[in-house]
Amino acid sequence: MQRLDPEIRRELAHLLYSSMPLVGTISAAAVVIGTVMAWVARDAAYAWITAALFVVGVFRVVKLLMFAARFDQLDDVAIIRWERLYGWGAAAFGLAVGALSARAFQIGDGPGIWMCFGLSMAFCVGIVSRVSPWIAMTSSAVLLIPTVIACLMQPEPVYRMGAGMIVLFWITLRGTSYRLTAAFTERIMAQQALARQAHRDYLTGLPNRAAFVAALWRAERPIAIIAVDLDGFKLVNDRFGHQAGDELLCQVGARLQDCLGGSGTAARFGGDEFMLLLPAAERNAALALAEAAVSALSQPFTLAGTRVQIGASAGILVTDDQMAETVALLDQADRALYAAKRAGGQRCCWADADLSVATTWTQVPAAPSLILFD
């Protein structure tokens, strides 16, 4: 099978299993047609094939219901397994319909041949819209091959011509299936890109405010929220221009992610303000992260061939309140941040401390000035 991105394969599998009306309708129609053919012709083979159609149809409907109930818990490996299961179920159904058609040719049942032809076309058109080429091609092939063989065994030339037309139909079906899959894949990729844009900062690629808030609600308590603001960023924009300022923000985002080491979330809230979220964090861990962030941001940056050194300030909040409003939590961290900036910058301040007092980090420059290195 074609190698696909796991998220795209997941969406395609979801589309595959969203076909309950189609599967239910075609299964019921096949059973009704087979029953009528068996009753009219009094043919035992018709009856056995119809019984097989009933069993396969029930199996497919049950699996559709099971997939819908379990979809959210399925991992990538399970998704592939369920896709294959759908494929083999469709192939078994197609084979049974093909056998019904071949039997109609064998006993010269003209009305039965036409009913099977209509059922076959409906199945092929439906399966090609399920956006999985290997499933569409396999199930349609096992359906049409018995009909093609039965046509070739007939003495009249018109049946041989019909067999050729069926082969051409299958080839056309193959091309249509691949084009539909490509179109659905492109649509899914576009939807995923839009979803990422809705939750990502366009400049730095970091999560935005909405994504940060969502992560905050999911995070294990107690949580640490650290508001970070750059000291001297305006000087960079004034001296080097906004393009250099944008590059600086991208480098800041990368350094903050390095400080987290994959254990939390770094987000850009706008301008030169960033937020860090550390789940299951005690005060010592929160302070260590804030120190690491400010220390990292005090190291020189390279912009347009020039080394530039700025600084940062931070406000720290640690809470285990599950019911606290998000706006209130962010506001507390922000107030602590600006208390640190009012105290001269290059500092951190606890949200639950006296905001007139800030703790200075001695390992970073004492003033938020712009320093250039030749």
Side-chain angles (χ1 to χ4, degrees):
M1 289 183 294
Q2 181 184 4
R3 291 185 179 275
L4 293 173
D5 177 87
E7 285 301 317
I8 294 177
R9 182 182 289 277
R10 186 177 187 86
E11 290 299 322
L12 290 176
H14 187 266
L15 287 171
L16 198 65
Y17 274 91
S18 63
S19 56
M20 176 63 78
L22 176 64
V23 172
T25 300
I26 197 71
S27 298
V31 170
V32 170
I33 289 173
T35 301
V36 171
M37 291 170 62
W39 177 264
V40 172
R42 295 292 193 272
D43 185 73
Y46 276 163
W48 282 107
I49 296 171
T50 301
L53 284 169
F54 177 80
V55 172
V56 174
V58 170
F59 173 82
R60 296 182 73 202
V61 169
V62 169
K63 288 303 178 182
L64 288 176
L65 296 173
M66 291 175 62
F67 181 85
R70 301 177 183 180
F71 177 72
D72 293 336
Q73 289 77 42
L74 298 178
D75 58 19
D76 296 339
V77 175
I79 287 292
I80 295 175
R81 186 166 59 249
W82 277 88
E83 179 185 310
R84 290 172 178 168
L85 185 64
Y86 186 98
W88 294 124
F93 188 84
L95 183 60
V97 173
L100 193 69
S101 176
R103 179 59 179 171
F105 275 100
Q106 185 180 15
I107 65 175
D109 182 3
I113 290 173
W114 279 109
M115 285 192 288
C116 289
F117 180 78
L119 184 63
S120 298
M121 294 302 101
F123 178 80
C124 289
V125 171
I127 201 68
V128 80
S129 67
R130 293 297 90 203
V131 299
S132 187
W134 79 268
I135 293 176
M137 293 302 94
T138 301
S139 56
S140 60
V142 298
L143 183 152
L144 296 175
I145 286 173
T147 302
V148 170
I149 294 174
C151 286
L152 293 175
M153 294 177 64
Q154 301 301 311
E156 295 86 349
V158 67
Y159 285 104
R160 294 184 176 87
M161 292 177 60
M165 294 299 293
I166 291 174
V167 172
L168 290 177
F169 170 76
W170 184 86
I171 294 173
T172 303
L173 201 70
R174 180 180 183 276
T176 301
S177 179
Y178 277 100
R179 285 193 294 272
L180 280 175
T181 299
F184 274 102
T185 300
E186 289 177 4
R187 190 186 74 176
I188 292 170
M189 292 175 65
Q191 290 174 339
Q192 290 177 344
L194 288 174
R196 286 193 295 269
Q197 291 175 9
H199 292 86
R200 291 282 171 179
D201 174 57
Y202 73 96
L203 179 62
T204 63
L206 293 177
N208 60 15
R209 183 187 183 97
F212 185 88
V213 170
L216 189 154
W217 275 106
R218 295 192 304 267
E220 180 183 354
R221 266 42 176 185
I223 55 171
I225 301 174
I226 302 171
V228 179
D229 193 80
L230 304 183
D231 299 330
F233 176 71
K234 184 176 184 300
L235 298 175
V236 173
N237 270 337
D238 293 343
R239 178 68 179 271
F240 298 101
H242 290 289
Q243 185 173 355
D246 289 347
E247 174 59 27
L248 176 60
L249 291 174
C250 291
Q251 294 186 35
V252 167
R255 291 191 185 184
L256 291 177
Q257 285 184 306
D258 289 341
C259 291
L260 282 165
S263 59
T265 301
R268 182 186 176 214
F269 270 40
D272 60 343
E273 183 176 357
F274 297 80
M275 283 283 183
L276 304 180
L277 174 67
L278 188 64
E282 302 295 341
R283 291 177 69 90
N284 288 341
L287 180 58
L289 175 59
E291 288 179 344
V294 172
S295 177
L297 299 182
S298 72
Q299 302 304 311
F301 295 87
T302 301
L303 303 174
T306 302
R307 297 178 70 205
V308 176
Q309 185 172 354
I310 57 172
S313 301
I316 312 172
L317 170 67
V318 175
T319 179
D320 59 0
D321 189 349
Q322 192 78 40
M323 304 304 295
E325 293 186 3
T326 301
V327 174
L329 295 178
L330 298 179
D331 182 63
Q332 292 179 61
D334 268 334
R335 285 190 286 109
L337 165 65
Y338 288 107
K341 292 182 73 70
R342 286 194 302 269
Q346 309 301 116
R347 304 163 188 261
C348 71
C349 186
W350 288 97
D352 56 358
D354 183 351
L355 297 186
S356 64
V357 179
T359 301
T360 302
W361 288 329
T362 58
Q363 69 268 32
V364 298
S369 58
L370 173 65
I371 304 175
L372 304 181
F373 297 86
D374 295 331

